[in-house]
Amino acid sequence: MSEIWDVVHAERAALIRDLEALPAERWATPSLCAGWDVHDVMAHLTDDAKTTRLSFLLRLAAARFDFDRYNNAGVTRERAGDPLLTLASFRAASHRTTSAPVAEASRLVEAFVHGEDIRRPLGLSRDYPAAHVATALRFQLGTAVAFGGGKERARGLRLIVTDAGSDTGEGPEVRGTALALLLAVSGRPVHADELTGPGAPALTRDGGLHHG
């Protein structure tokens, strides 16, 4: 088993622990993923954990190769009437190593970004492994927005990762942790103090800044 899958399994287990005692009404909290609440994101993660190469290809074809339609169908399929049943289904699939025919690093993106899609609106926090978040960031920077990445968002900017000792790109600087930069290039809002530098407004144009 690759190191990436070890990290993914650890992140799934941590998210399950965070949500086990979540009050029923809080599952309807809007997530950072536009149009989805916390329960929707959990259903998506469940669907993702159960996905195989064959099921992905068949269902993408059924969705007429529209990724939004594909993802929404997965949420509908896995979202149970009771959020705890959805969580139980996620727990049952959490140790799987199946996925769509994509790079393994994309599994880190799913774990970290969707973990924050859920945690931040609920006021929860997690200390993610910075080196692996940096790996997810590099993957997003090489992937087009049309395929869920952030390549175009970061174009013309120099990103300086303050907790992983790396930088990439050319242009106005944007400084922040690997997690804050990962969220921003993935189109998610971040807190106003998480990113600094003259390039920060350009990077956060899609997701925006949250104050407080």
Side-chain angles (χ1 to χ4, degrees):
M1 183 182 299
S2 74
E3 184 180 8
I4 285 177
W5 279 111
D6 289 340
V7 174
V8 170
H9 292 158
E11 291 306 319
R12 288 173 177 172
L15 188 59
I16 290 166
R17 290 194 299 271
D18 280 349
L19 298 179
E20 284 174 330
L22 188 70
E25 66 275 9
R26 300 208 68 196
W27 284 91
T29 301
S31 76
L32 296 188
C33 191
W36 283 358
D37 62 19
V38 166
H39 192 181
D40 291 328
V41 178
M42 175 50 59
H44 170 71
L45 286 171
T46 303
D47 183 62
D48 184 65
K50 293 181 177 181
T51 295
T52 65
R53 289 172 179 265
L54 180 59
S55 69
F56 171 80
L57 294 173
L58 291 175
R59 288 168 178 170
L60 184 61
R64 289 173 283 179
F65 300 95
D66 182 314
F67 284 101
D68 287 338
R69 185 180 289 117
Y70 168 87
N71 285 328
N72 287 328
V75 169
T76 299
R77 183 167 52 248
E78 295 297 338
R79 180 176 165 131
D82 182 343
L84 292 181
L85 292 178
T86 307
L87 186 63
S89 184
F90 180 63
R91 181 187 291 108
S94 63
H95 293 290
R96 293 178 61 129
T97 57
T98 58
S99 81
V102 293
E104 281 191 354
S106 69
R107 304 303 86 200
L108 295 176
V109 176
E110 286 282 304
F112 299 140
V113 174
H114 287 317
E116 289 298 279
D117 282 342
I118 289 172
R119 286 188 174 99
R120 289 194 172 209
L122 294 175
L124 302 173
S125 63
R126 176 163 172 76
D127 186 15
Y128 297 94
H132 292 294
V133 178
T135 298
L137 173 61
R138 287 192 296 272
F139 178 82
Q140 287 295 77
L141 292 174
T143 304
V145 170
F147 294 99
K151 185 176 182 178
E152 294 86 347
R153 293 188 183 99
R155 184 173 293 148
L157 299 172
R158 182 185 178 204
L159 307 187
I160 301 175
V161 186
T162 57
D163 58 345
S166 65
D167 64 83
T168 184
E170 296 291 336
E173 292 184 358
V174 186
R175 293 178 175 269
T177 64
L179 181 63
L181 289 167
L182 174 63
L183 292 175
V185 302
S186 300
R188 300 317 199 263
V190 296
H191 296 295
D193 61 352
E194 288 188 277
L195 297 178
T196 61
L203 183 59
T204 57
R205 186 177 298 119
D206 286 348
L209 296 173
H210 277 182
H211 296 269

